[in-house]
Amino acid sequence: MRRTCLSLAAIVVPAMAACFAPSSATAFESYTVAGVGAGGTLVIRAEPEEGGKPSDWKELARVPGAEKVLGTGRSKLIGAQRWAEVVFGSVRGWANARYLAAADEPVNLEQATFACSGTEPFWGVTLGPSGGDYSDPEQKFEVSTERVQPATARLFPLLYRLKDGQGRSYRATVSHRESCIDGMSDYEYAFEVLWSGDDNFEQGCCVLQR
C-alpha cells in the first residue's frame, strides 16, 4: 500500500492543526465544541463533498457549545477547511474541525476497537479487546486477541497479539499519526496499523469504531 504521512500543520491553520496533534489527551479523538459563541451550536452534517458548500450538505444534528463529541480519527480537507467525522449520541456525521477542541478524557484501551484497511492488495482487519477478523482477496478468518500491550509509559503504539482458529499467531501495531493516507480516497486518518503473520506484512490506516 502506498502511504504518505503529512503534517497537518502544513495544510491547515495552526489553530485547526492543534485539534489533531497527537497526544495522550487526544489519542482517542475526544472533543468539546468550542468557538460557536454564547448559545451557539455546532452543526453535524452529512459527508461534505468537494465543490459544495456547508448549506448543501444535509444537517444531521446540532451540538450545543461545551458539549462533547467523539471522533473516529477520519477527516478530509474541503477547500481550505478540514472536516472531521464525529459521533454525537446516535448520530454519526461530519463537523467543521475549527470548532473542535481537544478534551481530556480517561482512556480505556481494553474497550477500543479499530477498523483498519489497506491496498495492494485490498485487505482489512478489525482489532478489538476480545478479537476481530481479517480479510483479503483470498481469505477471511476470525482472530482472537490474546493481549493488548501499550508502549511502556505511553498510550501508543498498541501491540496486539492474536491467533486464528488454527492456532497461527499474528501481530498488529496501531500507532497515532498526524496523517495516514490510505492511497484510495481523499480521507486522512489519525491511526496507522502494521499487520504481520508468517506469510505477510501489511500497512494500512484505521478508524475508531464508535
Side-chain angles (χ1 to χ4, degrees):
M1 189 201 75
R2 181 177 181 272
R3 183 191 62 82
T4 304
C5 283
L6 304 172
S7 171
L8 288 182
I11 55 178
V12 293
V13 297
M16 292 164 56
C19 293
F20 287 87
S23 72
S24 60
T26 63
F28 271 21
E29 312 304 299
S30 177
Y31 304 105
T32 56
V33 176
V36 296
T41 58
L42 172 67
V43 179
I44 297 178
R45 298 186 180 276
E47 184 171 348
E49 298 294 339
E50 191 67 53
K53 54 184 183 295
S55 59
D56 295 332
W57 309 320
K58 182 180 178 181
E59 181 178 319
L60 303 178
R62 286 181 175 262
V63 184
E67 286 284 338
K68 293 178 181 178
V69 297
L70 300 175
T72 68
R74 177 160 54 187
S75 67
K76 64 191 302 186
L77 196 64
I78 302 296
Q81 182 59 62
R82 182 156 299 280
W83 289 74
E85 187 180 41
V86 298
V87 175
F88 180 67
S90 61
V91 176
R92 179 185 294 269
W94 294 77
N96 190 323
R98 68 181 298 178
Y99 299 113
L100 300 177
D104 292 327
E105 290 290 334
V107 172
N108 189 342
L109 294 176
E110 295 182 359
Q111 298 303 314
T113 299
F114 294 91
C116 310
S117 61
T119 59
E120 299 178 9
F122 289 97
W123 67 279
V125 65
T126 300
L127 300 168
S130 59
D133 57 71
Y134 173 92
S135 64
D136 64 28
E138 298 180 353
Q139 60 186 331
K140 182 176 182 179
F141 55 86
E142 294 183 351
V143 291
S144 60
T145 301
E146 295 191 314
R147 185 181 181 188
V148 182
Q149 178 183 353
T152 303
R154 295 177 61 86
L155 179 60
F156 284 98
L158 295 178
L159 173 62
Y160 288 79
R161 301 178 187 270
L162 311 115
K163 281 192 175 180
D164 64 15
Q166 299 180 28
R168 294 174 297 192
S169 297
Y170 302 87
R171 290 191 180 188
T173 302
V174 175
S175 302
H176 194 256
R177 300 297 189 199
E178 289 189 17
S179 180
C180 178
I181 305 298
D182 61 12
M184 57 184 175
S185 73
D186 57 357
Y187 298 129
E188 294 183 36
Y189 298 83
F191 303 99
E192 177 190 59
V193 65
L194 300 177
W195 166 272
S196 63
D198 290 338
D199 303 319
N200 61 345
F201 176 78
E202 294 169 311
Q203 185 180 40
C205 302
C206 309
V207 296
L208 266 170
Q209 290 189 335
R210 296 293 197 179

